[in-house]
Each structure stands twice: as structure tokens, then as C-alpha cells.
Amino acid sequence: MAADMWTLKGKTALITGATRGIGRAVVDELASLGAKVYFAARGVEEVRDREAEWRAAGGDVTGIVADLADADGRRMLMETDALDVGSLNCLVNNVGTNLRKPAVRYSSGEFQSLLSSNLESAFHLCQLSLEAMKDRDSSIVNVASVAGLTHLCTGAPYAMTKAAMIQMTRNLAVEWARFGIRVNAVAPWYIDTPLAREVLADPAYRSAVIDRTPMARVGLAREVGSVVAFLCMPAASYVTGQCLAVDGGFSVNGLQVSGRP
């Protein structure tokens, strides 16, 4: 019985933005734990390449090309014959992007693009998935950020979307508990992904990030993937409405003086 709590066999998952970074690590983890996995991203070649890799490794993985920043793209994803919506009981909203600049320099179009990619896409996919996931011990995991918990120099719109995603998680967790759907979020700090590497290539900035991280290192994508997998498992069956920071202690780091307890 205990072993059944720590597996995803018999589960079907959909992960968005899954060809790189955290999304790719989530697919790795869920597929290795026995889930049937569908993943979606925009790049045709990347989707096909990743699908081939996961299948060669023995995973039951299917890739779907879709632009999830667009409402029509999200509807097409949920309506395509390539996705067995009726079997879906895990949804991981990972797709997102960022544009770093001072608040006064964002155009209306840039703001709307970030809002659509990072927040509206997750909310809409939750809406579109509800009927399929009802009364099936389902789990939704939203990939937020510590930027939604505290100030970071990531740009205000990105932080706003992640903070809203965390609150969306809480609201849906309460509203949909009666349907047997758990809704949680993870909030990563700097993780070793292609996107983060661009910022961390600046030695001074990387040093500042590590100095603020009690565990004194940048996180790994698989360390986020494993937390997402836990939240999808029966082992987390009484966990809902939570935001788990995967941040090496960054979000709780106050004042620590060397040599003092």
C-alpha cells in the first residue's frame, strides 16, 4: 500500500512549456514514475526531438505543438485528437516568459504578452481541464516563482503574474476541492536552465544570487521536477492550496551574521 503512494502509474499528465528547463525536468520525472505524459510547446522541431528522446528512453510520452500564449492555441490543444483529455488527471502549468526592464519602460503590448503567457494561459487551461479532471483524484501544479513572494529584479510584470498565479492556486484549491482536484504551486529561485544561464553569466550577479541563498548554489531543474512529481502523487493527497518554495532557503533568508548562531 505504501509503495502505491509513491508512484504515478495509472496517471495521465499534461505539461506545458516542456521542451527545456524546468518543464523538461518535470516530464523526465513524471515519465520515470510511470505516468502517461503529454507535453506541449511551440517549437515543432524541439517537440519532435524531445518526444523521440523520451520514447527512446522508454517513456509513454506524446508531444503536441501549440502556442499556449494564445487562447485559440489553448483550445486547439485541448481539442486535438492527439490528447486523450478524458484520461487527464495531472496538469502542470509551466509555460512562461520574461522581459526584464524598469517598470516605466514596458509598453502595453509587452505587458499584455507577459500577462497572457504567464497567467492567462494557466487560468484558461485550468478552466478547460476542469470537466476532464473532476472526481478522478486529480492534481494541478502551477509553476510560479519566488518573484511572486518577494521583490526580485526580474521586472514588475513578471513578478505580478507569478504572485497572481499563487493566489489563483489558493482560490482554485478551495473552489475545486469538492471535485477531488488538488491545486498547488511551486516557487523556484534561480535554477540552472537555459533562460537563467543568460542572467547568471554575469559573475557579479551570480555571486550575489549565491550569497543570498543559504544553500550557496543555484538549483537544478530536476530538484523542481521532483517536487512537482510529489504534488501529483497519491502521497500528497491531503496537500492543496500550497505554494512550495524550491529555493535553497532564499525566501526565508533574513539576517545571518558570521560566527553567530
Side-chain angles (χ1 to χ4, degrees):
M1 179 66 71
D4 292 341
M5 300 291 285
W6 297 95
T7 182
L8 290 172
K9 289 180 180 178
K11 299 287 188 180
T12 299
L14 171 62
I15 299 98
T16 67
T19 55
R20 304 179 188 181
I22 290 172
R24 185 172 180 174
V26 171
V27 176
D28 283 341
E29 196 74 17
L30 270 59
S32 71
L33 289 164
K36 179 177 183 179
V37 177
Y38 295 93
F39 72 96
R42 287 185 300 183
V44 177
E45 290 187 10
E46 277 195 311
V47 167
R48 297 306 168 224
D49 288 347
R50 295 295 89 72
E51 180 185 70
E53 288 176 16
W54 281 313
R55 288 185 175 182
D60 187 355
V61 180
T62 299
I64 303 169
V65 178
D67 183 357
L68 300 176
D70 179 76
D72 289 339
R74 295 188 290 268
R75 281 189 286 266
M76 288 174 61
L77 169 65
M78 301 306 291
E79 293 170 3
T80 180
D81 292 338
L83 173 63
D84 182 7
V85 174
S87 69
L88 188 64
N89 42 30
C90 298
L91 170 64
V92 181
N93 287 307
N94 173 68
V95 71
T97 189
N98 194 16
L99 178 62
R100 295 174 175 85
K101 59 171 68 178
V104 296
R105 295 185 183 173
Y106 286 93
S107 68
S108 176
E110 289 168 339
F111 179 82
Q112 291 299 325
S113 176
L114 288 170
L115 189 68
S116 179
S117 295
N118 296 357
L119 180 62
E120 186 180 357
S121 62
F123 182 66
H124 192 197
L125 282 173
C126 287
Q127 290 179 311
L128 294 173
S129 303
L130 176 60
E131 289 303 318
M133 299 181 77
K134 278 183 177 179
D135 304 316
R136 303 187 64 244
D137 296 322
S138 298
S139 174
I140 296 172
V141 182
N142 298 312
V143 179
S145 167
V146 289
L149 301 173
T150 188
H151 166 71
L152 298 180
C153 48
T154 56
Y158 178 83
M160 292 161 65
T161 60
K162 295 304 185 177
M165 176 182 273
I166 293 167
Q167 187 58 41
M168 178 188 79
T169 297
R170 297 181 183 120
N171 279 66
L172 294 185
V174 175
E175 185 176 338
W176 291 357
R178 67 182 185 275
F179 301 134
I181 301 174
R182 296 181 297 105
V183 188
N184 292 288
V186 294
W189 172 222
Y190 276 100
I191 303 298
D192 185 21
T193 65
L195 188 62
R197 284 177 207 138
E198 296 176 12
V199 180
L200 297 173
D202 177 348
Y205 190 78
R206 184 183 182 91
S207 178
V209 167
I210 291 174
D211 284 347
R212 292 296 301 146
T213 308
M215 292 186 72
R217 64 176 176 86
V218 172
L220 302 176
R222 64 174 174 77
E223 293 176 308
V224 183
S226 62
V227 176
V228 172
F230 164 70
L231 291 171
C232 292
M233 285 181 183
S237 59
Y238 202 52
V239 181
T240 195
Q242 303 305 305
C243 178
L244 302 185
V246 188
D247 66 353
F250 165 78
S251 60
V252 296
N253 191 12
L255 175 65
Q256 175 64 42
V257 180
S258 179
R260 292 179 179 266

